[in-house]
Amino acid sequence: MNFAQKELPKMEFNLGRKIGRGLRRVTVGTVGLILGIRDKTAETVANFKEGFEDIVAEAQYNNRKKKLAVETE
């Protein structure tokens, strides 16, 4: 076996590692974006829910206020 034949498997292995590292970086970046989108979506839903709960509470307050006004007349 000559020198070139001995180095060939090592070169293929290094190329595979470089491709693997690049793929890992892309995957890590993609997962990071997905997690960011998930967090932003959860924040948006929580804000919407809070706003809707405020509207319901205000409507309930107004109904009780009207009911008390009718009862005191």
Side-chain angles (χ1 to χ4, degrees), residues 26-71:
V26 169
T27 303
V28 168
T30 302
V31 171
L33 286 174
I34 291 169
L35 293 175
I37 291 168
R38 182 199 65 180
D39 291 344
K40 186 64 177 169
T41 301
E43 179 184 345
T44 301
V45 169
N47 289 336
F48 177 79
K49 182 181 175 187
E50 182 180 347
F52 185 72
E53 288 172 347
D54 289 346
I55 290 169
V56 170
E58 185 176 346
Q60 289 173 338
Y61 171 78
N62 288 336
N63 285 341
R64 287 185 189 133
K65 189 173 158 183
K66 286 179 186 176
K67 187 177 178 181
L68 286 174
V70 169
E71 289 176 358

Side-chain angles (χ1 to χ4, degrees), residues 8-35:
L8 185 59
K10 187 174 182 182
M11 288 173 47
E12 288 177 8
F13 180 71
N14 287 338
L15 180 60
R17 289 182 97 179
K18 287 181 181 181
I19 291 171
R21 281 189 216 136
L23 184 59
R24 182 180 176 92
R25 287 181 185 148
V26 169
T27 303
V28 168
T30 302
V31 171
L33 286 174
I34 291 169
L35 293 175

